[in-house]
Amino acid sequence: MTTTAPTPAVRAPARDAEGPVRRHELAAFLRHRREHISPERVGLVRGPRRRTPGLRREEVAQLSAVGVTWYTWLEQARDIQVSGQVLDALARTLLLDPGERAHLFRLADATDPTPATACPSITPALRAVLAGLEPNPACVQNSRYDILAHNRTYGLLLGDLDAVPPEDRNCMILSYTDSEWRSSIVHLEETQRLMAARLRATMAGHLADPAWKALLKRLTAESAEFRAAWDRHEVVATRGKRKEFRNRLVGRVTVDHSDFFLGPEQGPRMITYTPADEESRERLERLHAIAVEREHAGRGR
């Protein structure tokens, strides 16, 4: 007798299984924040008939410029689409701090269109460490190459980083699209290829992450050089490397790059640049002095 093998069960992706859980967590989070914000904090007058100390759903909807029915569905954990722009409006209406804002976007599985300039993981103690490393340049980056914090010397190493909009403070974006940043890298083509290879290796663990997909989409759209490097399908692991920069203020410097991971590998890391020779050390000291002078001049305005 001929038997037919049973059809293997198709298991839904883990990401899909998380959907209902995410929606219920999002709904509970929004309700909690709404109920704990007084009308006075958002410029509303408390009427005599108000029974709740917090905001009403219709007030949150009005302040966020969204429909009352749509917002009600959101708090009911219905399966509806939520854009980053709407989440941004809700975050501002509910007065979310940077940590709460990041939590909101994670629950909604969405990309923050205006990422906070202050990352919750960058503590005052960590900033003190960055400052203590001066005159050596140092910064903190995540695995997506976003620059989360930096000291003054690093801020002038490849241009004026403080003049770069927060949403563009990403080493991949700057290395492929910013003319001043690109001109400061002596071995630009090699650096770009290594960065693209490292991004591909790390992205394997974030293929469904909206922020990673948004970064890849932007780089692909804005840089033919990135498209060429990405199409090589090269991967490379994290490693230290000697680098050379052409600084517009003090000249050429040679440094040794080191990574110090702040958590599990492929997560946030502190990057330091140690001068490789005496001339580079002296030039970094001059660059640091310029950065300090500019900072003091800015405070005096």
Side-chain angles (χ1 to χ4, degrees):
M1 183 176 70
T2 303
T3 59
T4 302
T7 303
V10 178
R11 179 177 296 179
R15 199 75 174 181
D16 294 342
E18 292 177 359
V21 178
R22 285 178 177 273
R23 290 196 299 273
H24 280 87
E25 285 292 325
L26 176 61
F29 179 64
L30 289 172
R31 285 196 302 271
H32 180 273
R33 294 300 300 140
R34 172 175 62 81
E35 293 169 356
H36 286 77
I37 295 180
S38 65
E40 293 83 359
R41 291 184 64 193
V42 293
L44 298 178
V45 178
R46 181 185 297 274
R49 295 186 177 183
R50 181 178 291 271
R51 297 179 181 178
T52 174
L55 296 176
R56 301 186 180 100
R57 285 176 175 170
E58 56 268 28
E59 290 171 334
V60 173
Q62 181 181 4
L63 291 169
S64 305
V66 299
V68 176
T69 300
W70 183 90
Y71 180 75
T72 300
W73 287 350
L74 196 60
E75 281 201 6
Q76 291 174 346
R78 296 203 189 185
D79 188 5
I80 58 176
Q81 294 295 319
V82 190
S83 70
Q85 288 71 24
V86 168
L87 290 170
D88 174 61
L90 290 174
R92 286 185 279 106
T93 296
L94 297 174
L95 307 178
L96 302 187
D97 64 26
E100 293 167 335
R101 179 187 176 94
H103 183 64
L104 173 70
F105 277 85
R106 282 195 297 268
L107 289 177
D109 197 19
T111 301
D112 190 344
T114 55
T117 55
C119 176
S121 64
I122 305 300
T123 63
L126 187 54
R127 291 188 184 278
V129 171
L130 290 174
L133 290 170
E134 292 180 324
N136 293 350
C139 69
V140 176
Q141 294 180 20
N142 59 19
S143 56
R144 203 172 52 241
Y145 283 101
D146 294 322
I147 302 171
L148 307 179
H150 63 277
N151 63 17
R152 293 169 294 188
T153 315
Y154 183 89
L156 290 181
L157 183 63
L158 293 96
D160 187 355
L161 187 57
D162 290 337
V164 175
E167 62 271 20
D168 292 341
R169 292 179 192 173
N170 174 284
C171 287
M172 290 293 298
I173 291 172
L174 292 168
S175 297
Y176 278 98
T177 67
D178 185 271
S179 58
E180 187 173 20
W181 194 279
R182 289 160 54 89
S183 66
S184 299
I185 301 173
V186 174
H187 305 290
L188 179 62
E189 184 177 353
E190 178 189 0
T191 298
Q192 288 176 327
R193 284 187 59 186
L194 286 173
M195 290 177 69
R198 183 171 175 177
L199 183 72
R200 180 179 285 281
T202 310
M203 191 172 180
H206 304 273
L207 293 176
D209 190 311
W212 285 76
K213 291 191 288 186
L215 174 62
L216 181 60
K217 181 178 180 180
R218 178 176 176 181
L219 287 166
T220 303
E222 296 184 9
S223 173
E225 291 170 315
F226 175 79
R227 292 194 296 271
W230 193 251
D231 286 345
R232 293 176 179 272
H233 288 266
E234 295 176 334
V235 293
V236 65
T238 300
R239 64 176 187 269
K241 180 174 172 38
R242 179 156 290 186
K243 295 187 175 182
E244 294 179 81
F245 299 115
R246 191 183 298 107
N247 185 271
R248 61 185 176 84
L249 297 173
V250 299
R252 189 159 170 157
V253 295
T254 303
V255 295
D256 289 320
H257 171 129
S258 298
D259 288 309
F260 300 92
F261 285 90
L262 305 180
E265 191 168 351
Q266 308 302 343
R269 66 192 188 278
M270 179 182 294
I271 296 172
T272 63
Y273 291 131
T274 306
D277 52 56
E278 184 63 21
E279 184 177 48
S280 295
R281 184 187 66 79
E282 292 175 354
R283 289 179 176 179
L284 287 177
E285 288 177 349
R286 293 209 309 270
L287 185 62
H288 173 243
I290 293 171
V292 172
E293 183 180 352
R294 287 189 176 187
E295 181 181 63
H296 290 166
R299 289 176 181 174
R301 292 174 188 161

